[in-house]
Amino acid sequence: SEDQDDFKLISSVLEGNFSNCKYRALGKQDINGEGTAPFSPERMCINNKRLNIWANQGKAVVLDGSFDLDSSQRYLVDSMSFKMGRHICGISVGLFAYFGPYMVQISALFLGMHHAEEISPIKPGVNFLTMERISMLPPHCDGVVLVTWGEPYCENKNEDVTWLEVKEFYHGMRLVLNQYEESA
């Protein structure tokens, strides 16, 4: 049944300890995002319940993407960075992977006051959310998206701002993925 298929898919994503995998790199894929009109995430996130609630309340939007991937391939994130105007704060920004009708959070950072303009939640060798050495995308991943959530605030104006205003201060994302296959 469809429920059993969903259960198997979610279980395979959540049970994996990806940092203990042995893999062989096959090539790199660069994704350079320029932003999209903000819209609420439509897929249910299985590892960030707050995001699901905030999306229904209009407090979470897709900032960039979706970027399609070949679901028959396996990917790991080599690095991910984005640029956001320094005076936008009070929000989290994260990379999410699509698989089936769901998404899973891969990494995220909270942007407080006085943050750098270029932010790197994942650098080669470390994911700053999980502190894992590598950041694998789940099996059957068919896309990635950059999502932001929270209550956006502008330091310069000392007031809340809209998601459209946040989008104006977003200056793109750079995502580097490695395609790989598991080795014995």
Side-chain angles (χ1 to χ4, degrees):
S1 79
E2 188 175 325
D3 287 344
Q4 287 177 330
D5 291 342
D6 284 352
F7 179 75
K8 287 178 185 176
L9 182 62
I10 291 170
S11 295
S12 71
V13 170
L14 293 178
E15 73 185 10
N17 181 356
F18 299 127
S19 64
N20 291 326
C21 291
K22 293 183 180 180
Y23 61 94
R24 183 174 67 89
L26 299 175
K28 286 191 184 241
Q29 181 174 349
D30 283 346
I31 296 173
N32 293 301
E34 297 177 5
T36 186
F39 62 92
S40 254
E42 296 170 353
R43 298 188 190 197
M44 184 171 73
C45 183
I46 62 171
N47 67 343
N48 185 335
K49 292 178 190 174
R50 185 178 328 141
L51 183 75
N52 297 321
I53 294 166
W54 283 20
N56 289 332
Q57 295 174 346
K59 294 182 179 181
V61 296
V62 172
L63 194 57
D64 214 340
S66 135
F67 302 100
D68 294 334
L69 298 175
D70 180 350
S71 63
S72 69
Q73 297 291 318
R74 295 295 309 265
Y75 301 91
L76 67 86
V77 180
D78 182 60
S79 62
M80 192 272 281
S81 63
F82 63 91
K83 292 183 179 181
M84 178 68 73
R86 297 178 65 139
H87 51 279
I88 298 296
C89 59
I91 58 174
S92 294
V93 180
L95 180 68
F96 290 77
Y98 285 165
F99 66 99
Y102 305 103
M103 66 181 187
V104 62
Q105 182 175 328
I106 303 300
S107 190
L109 285 177
F110 178 76
L111 303 184
M113 293 187 174
H114 312 295
H115 63 79
E117 184 172 348
E118 184 165 0
I119 297 108
S120 299
I122 303 173
K123 291 186 177 183
V126 65
N127 178 331
F128 289 103
L129 175 70
T130 63
M131 299 310 287
E132 291 281 338
R133 183 176 58 83
I134 57 177
S135 300
M136 299 286 192
L137 298 185
H140 312 291
C141 177
D142 58 0
V144 291
V145 66
L146 192 67
V147 176
T148 183
W149 65 97
E151 297 178 337
Y153 185 81
C154 180
E155 277 184 86
N156 293 352
K157 297 179 182 179
N158 287 325
E159 62 184 33
D160 293 340
V161 292
T162 67
W163 289 119
L164 284 173
E165 290 172 295
V166 169
K167 169 66 178 82
E168 289 176 23
F169 295 102
Y170 171 71
H171 304 294
M173 171 188 75
R174 180 156 192 262
L175 174 64
V176 179
L177 299 175
N178 288 320
Q179 286 184 327
Y180 76 96
E181 65 182 7
E182 291 182 29
S183 59

